[in-house]
Amino acid sequence: MSLLHLAILSPLLLAIAIPLLHKYFRQIHTGWFVLPLPIVLFTYFLQYISLTRDGSSIIKTIAWIPSLDINFSAKIDGLGLLFALLITGIGSLVVLYSIYYLSKDKEKLNTFYVYMLLFMGAMLGVVLSDNLIVLYTFWELTSFSSFLLIGYWYHREESRYGAQKSMLITVFGGLAMLGGFLLLYIMTGTFSITEMIGRSGEIFTHSLFVPALLCILLGAFTKSAQFPFHIWLPDAMEAPTPVSAYLHSATMVKAGIYVVARFSPIFAEHSLWLWLVAGVGIVTLFWGSFSAVKQTDLKAILAFSTVSQLGMIMSLLGVGAAAIHFEELDNSYFTVAVTAAVFHLINHATFKGSLFMVVGIIDHETGTRDIRRLGGLINLMPISFTLALVGAFSMAGLPPFNGFLSKEMFFTGMLRVMEMNIFKLDTWSALFPIIAWIGSIFTFVYSMIIVFKTFAGKYQPEKLDRKPHEAPLGMLIPPLVLASLVIIFGVLPNILSETLIAPAMTSILPGLAFDVRISFWHGPTPELFMTLGVVILGTILYLTLAKWQSVYGLLPDKLALNRLYDKGLEKAQYGSFRLTSTYMNGYIRTYLVYIFAFFTIVVGTTLFVKNAFAIDASDVSPIRFYEAILVLVVAISAVSILFAKSRLTSIIVLGAIGYTVSLLFVVFRAPDLALTQLVIETVSVSLFLLCFYHLPEISRTEERIRFKLTNAVISIGVGAIVTMIALSAHSTKLFESIAEYYVENTYEEAAGKNMVNVILVDFRGFDTMFEITVLGIAALGIFTMIKLRLARRKEG
Amino acid sequence: MFNVVMQLSLLFISLSMLGLIYRLIKGPSVPDRVVALDAIGINLVAIIAIVSIILRTSAFLEVILLIGILAFIGTVAFSKYLEKGVIIESDRDL
């Protein structure tokens, strides 16, 4: 086990110790024990930058299940390192924030930090695994720990609903992704991502390529909250704010982005990948930003804004994949989109993390997150206001913050889509920049709402639960760090380009040349005018918000995706209940009909299809007349049972059948069987009489069995099939009987002359032993049933 | 000759069995059926004896004895049931 593996697993190991630390150090906030770990990991991962900046990577492997090619191989390359730094860096800040956010006395801190560490370890495992099965294992662990964190306040109905919803959707996608991984394994025979990328040409021509692509994309889209699977994210806002900041803005929702980026080298040769990723991303971008404007809860706005920004990164990755697709073009033409994606990934983590923390502070200090009750906090909480301003302006894409740069590059990427007319549909690709532009306008509007509806306007103390004041310093430090990063990356973007962005792009676009200089000023390009348009139109829309907000009422409630989800779940439950209650009706006779009908159909069809019916009379002994008469007696008695009027007659006729069968045993020379059959028949007839005597009065009325056509058809079918099987089996004897051995050895080996008995107790005595056991159990069971009357004892 | 006689006796006994089966099924009362069953038991004894002779074996003599006992017990049990409603009387109700 290398240090790298230890680093990945260390959060899980610490999670084991947390409950103990919580128990024995009551007076110290448990978060302080957690805090050093992500910081240490962050510095540990920082040292790998020197390794990845020249495009190299390392893989460390420890065997897990080598016989199945499943090994815990950890790989550090540009992309994995970028995510690892995000996870540990923001993880440290979020832990620090949570120490001040969560009360030591009121909350169950031990479970919170266990879940949090579980998540952190899982997320590190996802981004640093080179083995698909290990990646999937950690992937499900992130879903699971996210479920636990969303349901942290489990006594609240909405928390449980949100946790269940996110679990169902992400696990659905996760399973689809597992399917995709297995398809990839079938195609290549390896679980290693690195090897797969090396053999992408071979995968591309395989017939399972498209199914694998769709399955993996489904997993990535559900996790990254892409349209139409984004509905779980707003409901996940029931989690504590540090969780929302960490999982639902900076890390977990980017796992899908990671997967798309990671698999781009394999799948991007196909245009389907390009259009699905870019198309779904751009739709998500628009729908997220459009929906964000109508929200009144600050966290809901941020949730939809996360959806929208994730869509933006996703569409950029899709467009950037064109660099692999069009190899004949000048490569750096489309790679700018990937640069923008990676850059915005970092930017989004910084400003969205800080915004969530600010919202958490507001919630903490005022007791509400509803923008209709907030306002005028600018003088009371000046630091929070500054932080919110920086974050929101960066999100809106204004200079001099980092969001401006990534938005400019985003527009560049989108404009270049117009030039890749893959399906000769130039008009369609023109939609990309237009939708992106409209989406950005809405982004601008909701960013303004976050800042100005909260901090500007009239202060309404009567609507607030407590008197707001500035948050404690510890709570402000994490968002301060993030906000200063927003500005630093905005002013000096190139400190990232060589260290993080270029290595990450090497992983996404292996073997391509690109230029990642991020320049602040492009000159008077179309992108600049688009940004100007966004600002102007966005300001107008924000100022006239009250006039056009009724637009949101136009969309009928029935078409809302949440309603669709709720109804779908309800219908699925109701439908399966209905389905089950149609065939599971509780009557044994119905189940017997299923069993016998199934038996007849399956066996009959098999015999028919295999053409296995055979009647061969060469081996049949002559029928003697008394045999014929005995068989006739049995047959007549059997049929007459069906038409018997009273039950007593049935019992007696059944006895007659049993005795006749014993007579048949005599005729066929089986004295032991005949003896046993006679005794058993007598005993069972008397048992039947016993049952008859104890029947309740009401069912003793003499009544014939009613005729039912289905039953008749099925019984005749079963009889016919069994007869045919018996005839066919007798006609096709494949080898000689082994009976000769017993005949020769009964006396020689076992010292007995009665062959049946010798077989029963000597040659095959095991069967006899267990038959005895069966009888013993039956006797005990009957005794227990008669004697043990718990219900009656309870009454008495 | 001997063999033919044996076969003929089997045939006749079988025919009498058929008649008894008719009575068993037709009824009309339960005692009719019980008597038919008893007679069937005795016919069985005869059939088994003849079959043993035909097969030249003494392996079925136990069966003959057993049927004799069972037919007796069975008929007694039936009769008792028809008369009293119970077969095994107990002194006290458990």
Side-chain angles (χ1 to χ4, degrees):
Chain A
M1 184 181 256
S2 67
L3 200 57
L4 182 57
H5 289 107
L6 196 67
I8 295 173
L9 295 178
S10 59
L12 307 180
L13 296 175
L14 182 60
I16 298 173
I18 286 296
L20 288 176
L21 292 169
H22 176 75
K23 195 175 172 187
Y24 292 110
F25 299 96
R26 279 266 169 207
Q27 62 282 16
I28 307 170
H29 195 286
T30 316
W32 291 114
F33 299 113
V34 181
L35 185 59
L37 181 77
I39 296 175
V40 169
L41 289 178
F42 184 71
T43 41
Y44 170 73
F45 284 122
L46 270 183
Q47 61 165 351
Y48 279 107
I49 287 182
S50 57
L51 175 92
T52 55
R53 68 184 298 157
D54 51 356
S56 54
S57 59
I58 52 164
I59 295 189
K60 295 259 172 73
T61 303
I62 48 174
W64 184 18
I65 315 173
S67 56
L68 296 178
D69 190 27
I70 298 171
N71 294 305
F72 186 9
S73 44
K75 179 184 184 184
I76 286 217
D77 63 347
L79 187 66
L81 184 65
L82 168 69
F83 273 91
L85 285 174
L86 276 182
I87 291 159
T88 49
I90 296 187
S92 328
L93 296 173
V94 163
V95 171
L96 179 63
Y97 179 79
S98 70
I99 291 173
Y100 290 92
Y101 186 84
L102 292 173
S103 155
K104 189 171 65 184
D105 311 314
K106 289 182 200 148
E107 306 285 359
K108 291 188 202 62
L109 291 177
N110 50 344
T111 55
F112 180 81
Y113 286 108
V114 167
Y115 301 161
M116 199 76 163
L117 285 168
L118 206 62
F119 171 78
M120 193 184 288
M123 201 63 210
L124 279 178
V126 167
V127 298
L128 295 178
S129 293
D130 190 52
N131 190 291
L132 285 182
I133 296 299
V134 179
L135 195 156
Y136 173 73
T137 311
F138 283 118
W139 180 276
E140 288 300 325
L141 201 55
T142 62
S143 300
F144 175 64
S145 48
S146 160
F147 166 79
L148 292 172
L149 283 167
I150 296 169
Y152 178 63
W153 288 312
Y154 53 82
H155 45 85
R156 298 205 313 219
E157 171 91 43
E158 302 84 35
S159 295
R160 296 200 301 270
Y161 172 77
Q164 187 207 36
K165 193 175 186 178
S166 73
M167 185 76 165
L168 286 178
I169 293 178
T170 52
V171 166
F172 159 72
L175 278 178
M177 203 173 75
L178 178 64
F181 287 171
L182 294 178
L183 290 178
L184 276 178
Y185 179 72
I186 293 171
M187 286 187 262
T188 58
T190 174
F191 278 125
S192 158
I193 301 174
T194 319
E195 267 185 59
M196 280 179 190
I197 291 173
R199 292 157 70 179
S200 57
E202 180 188 327
I203 300 173
F204 182 59
T205 50
H206 202 283
S207 57
L208 290 175
F209 178 81
V210 174
L213 186 156
L214 291 176
C215 283
I216 289 176
L217 270 190
L218 197 60
F221 286 167
T222 49
K223 196 76 160 186
S224 277
Q226 299 295 302
F227 190 87
F229 307 112
H230 65 274
I231 49 172
W232 67 268
L233 189 61
D235 283 307
M237 290 302 128
E238 292 301 328
T241 304
V243 173
S244 312
Y246 189 39
L247 274 70
H248 306 126
S249 71
T251 51
M252 187 179 91
V253 287
K254 291 192 174 128
I257 305 266
Y258 168 79
V259 165
V260 168
R262 182 55 91 195
F263 285 94
S264 278
I266 300 177
F267 290 115
E269 298 219 22
H270 202 285
S271 56
L272 188 64
W273 175 270
L274 234 65
W275 289 107
L276 265 181
V277 175
V280 170
I282 203 88
V283 170
T284 313
L285 162 73
F286 170 73
W287 189 249
S289 59
F290 179 69
S291 307
V293 176
K294 74 170 168 183
Q295 306 300 323
T296 53
D297 179 11
L298 281 174
K299 268 177 106 173
I301 301 179
L302 288 179
F304 277 107
S305 113
T306 304
V307 170
S308 148
Q309 307 275 327
L310 289 171
M312 171 173 162
I313 301 174
M314 198 63 99
S315 68
L316 281 170
L317 280 177
V319 174
I324 300 178
H325 188 73
F326 300 103
E327 276 169 2
E328 70 275 13
L329 275 176
D330 178 17
N331 280 330
S332 65
Y333 199 65
F334 290 116
T335 50
V336 67
V338 179
T339 315
V342 177
F343 190 38
H344 195 72
L345 184 81
I346 304 169
N347 294 345
H348 177 249
T350 54
F351 66 69
K352 191 53 66 65
S354 80
L355 277 176
F356 264 110
M357 290 175 187
V358 168
V359 167
I361 290 171
I362 293 167
D363 188 14
H364 212 260
E365 300 305 326
T366 63
T368 182
R369 300 190 310 248
D370 195 329
I371 52 171
R372 288 166 300 190
R373 292 165 67 188
L374 292 165
L377 297 178
I378 186 162
N379 294 324
L380 294 161
M381 305 168 78
I383 307 176
S384 308
F385 166 69
T386 320
L387 295 172
L389 190 78
V390 170
F393 277 24
S394 174
M395 184 155 75
L398 294 176
F401 306 110
N402 56 8
F404 170 70
L405 301 171
S406 40
K407 182 136 296 178
E408 293 276 280
M409 289 160 77
F410 168 60
F411 285 146
T412 316
M414 288 299 133
L415 285 171
R416 287 183 182 172
V417 178
M418 290 203 293
E419 289 164 49
M420 48 160 143
N421 46 349
I422 290 181
F423 300 127
K424 306 284 176 216
L425 287 170
D426 316 45
T427 43
W428 285 105
S429 41
L431 273 177
F432 273 82
I434 295 170
I435 297 176
W437 189 65
I438 298 173
S440 301
I441 294 172
F442 281 110
T443 306
F444 185 87
V445 175
Y446 72 69
S447 303
M448 294 307 112
I449 290 177
I450 290 176
V451 183
F452 292 111
K453 294 263 181 196
T454 316
F455 291 99
K458 219 165 70 205
Y459 175 49
Q460 302 155 300
E462 72 282 355
K463 285 191 183 172
L464 298 178
D465 300 335
R466 33 192 130 136
K467 184 144 176 52
H469 53 81
E470 192 56 88
L473 187 64
M475 226 167 168
L476 285 171
I477 287 174
L480 261 176
V481 173
L482 287 173
S484 39
L485 283 178
V486 168
I487 300 173
I488 292 169
F489 293 157
V491 179
L492 302 166
N494 286 315
I495 58 166
L496 285 176
S497 57
E498 284 299 313
T499 49
L500 285 177
I501 297 177
M505 286 176 67
T506 319
S507 311
I508 304 173
L509 308 167
L512 293 184
F514 41 77
D515 175 31
V516 287
R517 298 290 305 165
I518 302 169
S519 51
F520 205 73
W521 173 250
H522 298 277
T525 50
E527 293 90 322
L528 188 68
F529 293 114
M530 281 170 88
T531 308
L532 271 178
V534 165
V535 174
I536 294 165
L537 265 174
T539 317
I540 294 170
L541 277 181
Y542 173 69
L543 292 176
T544 57
L545 191 60
K547 293 203 178 89
W548 60 272
Q549 215 166 20
S550 55
V551 160
Y552 289 105
L554 291 178
L555 182 76
D557 192 36
K558 271 189 181 166
L559 285 176
L561 286 166
N562 271 320
R563 204 183 143 88
L564 216 64
Y565 166 85
D566 289 336
K567 281 278 161 200
L569 214 58
E570 199 181 301
K571 283 266 156 63
Q573 222 164 5
Y574 181 67
S576 42
F577 173 72
R578 281 278 300 275
L579 182 70
T580 316
S581 52
T582 48
Y583 69 90
M584 300 277 286
N585 61 2
Y587 291 114
I588 290 181
R589 57 169 178 257
T590 320
Y591 304 151
L592 287 179
V593 166
Y594 300 152
I595 293 171
F596 283 124
F598 189 75
F599 166 77
T600 319
I601 293 165
V602 169
V603 176
T605 324
T606 314
L607 283 177
F608 188 73
V609 170
K610 297 276 175 194
N611 204 10
F613 295 119
I615 293 178
D616 175 16
S618 62
D619 198 19
V620 176
S621 54
I623 301 167
R624 285 165 293 182
F625 72 91
Y626 47 87
E627 289 167 1
I629 290 174
L630 286 178
V631 169
L632 203 67
V633 169
V634 172
I636 291 172
S637 318
V639 173
S640 73
I641 286 182
L642 294 178
F643 299 100
K645 257 198 220 154
S646 86
R647 291 171 200 252
L648 202 55
T649 317
S650 303
I651 294 169
I652 293 173
V653 176
L654 195 65
I657 293 178
Y659 291 132
T660 321
V661 168
S662 77
L663 201 55
L664 276 171
F665 284 144
V666 170
V667 173
F668 291 129
R669 304 179 200 203
D672 297 285
L673 279 182
L675 276 175
T676 322
Q677 169 71 19
L678 274 172
V679 179
I680 295 297
E681 193 57 40
T682 313
V683 173
S684 48
V685 165
S686 38
L687 282 179
F688 271 125
L689 286 174
L690 189 73
C691 296
F692 172 75
Y693 173 70
H694 287 287
L695 277 181
E697 282 299 325
I698 192 161
S699 52
R700 266 202 227 189
T701 46
E702 311 223 324
E703 194 183 343
R704 256 184 210 173
I705 304 174
R706 266 169 301 164
F707 180 76
K708 283 201 190 101
L709 187 63
T710 1
N711 293 0
V713 168
I714 287 175
S715 59
I716 290 170
V718 169
I721 286 288
V722 171
T723 311
M724 281 193 285
I725 293 173
L727 287 178
S728 310
H730 180 264
S731 307
T732 45
K733 283 212 175 93
L734 298 178
F735 29 74
E736 287 300 305
S737 153
I738 58 164
E740 216 40 50
Y741 171 83
Y742 294 122
V743 175
E744 280 164 15
N745 290 296
T746 303
Y747 191 68
E748 300 292 314
E749 302 275 334
K753 286 183 178 163
N754 185 332
M755 202 164 71
V756 176
N757 290 1
V758 167
I759 290 175
L760 281 179
V761 300
D762 195 311
F763 288 118
R764 304 190 50 184
F766 259 123
D767 294 352
T768 314
M769 186 173 82
F770 288 110
E771 296 293 338
I772 292 169
T773 317
V774 167
L775 286 179
I777 292 171
L780 276 177
I782 291 166
F783 182 76
T784 322
M785 279 199 300
I786 292 171
K787 283 289 173 190
L788 196 68
R789 301 282 177 87
L790 289 177
R792 187 190 286 175
R793 196 176 299 164
K794 227 174 263 170
E795 279 166 28
Chain B
M1 184 61 204
F2 177 74
N3 218 359
V4 173
V5 172
M6 287 298 144
Q7 300 279 346
L8 272 177
S9 352
L10 266 185
L11 180 67
F12 289 132
I13 299 171
S14 307
L15 288 176
S16 93
M17 281 274 278
L18 275 182
L20 289 166
I21 293 283
Y22 170 78
R23 184 47 61 203
L24 187 76
I25 292 166
K26 189 70 187 169
S29 72
V30 178
D32 287 328
R33 295 190 173 111
V34 174
V35 171
L37 200 64
D38 192 48
I40 288 174
I42 304 306
N43 273 356
L44 281 179
V45 170
I47 290 177
I48 293 169
I50 294 170
V51 168
S52 304
I53 294 169
I54 293 173
L55 297 176
R56 290 177 192 283
T57 170
S58 60
F60 296 114
L61 299 184
E62 288 104 328
V63 178
I64 292 173
L65 290 176
L66 190 73
I67 291 176
I69 297 166
L70 284 180
F72 173 70
I73 295 175
T75 313
V76 168
F78 259 118
S79 315
K80 204 172 169 195
Y81 169 73
L82 289 174
E83 195 184 63
K84 291 190 168 181
V86 284
I87 296 169
I88 301 167
E89 288 168 80
S90 53
D91 295 338
R92 58 198 170 87
D93 225 359
L94 284 174

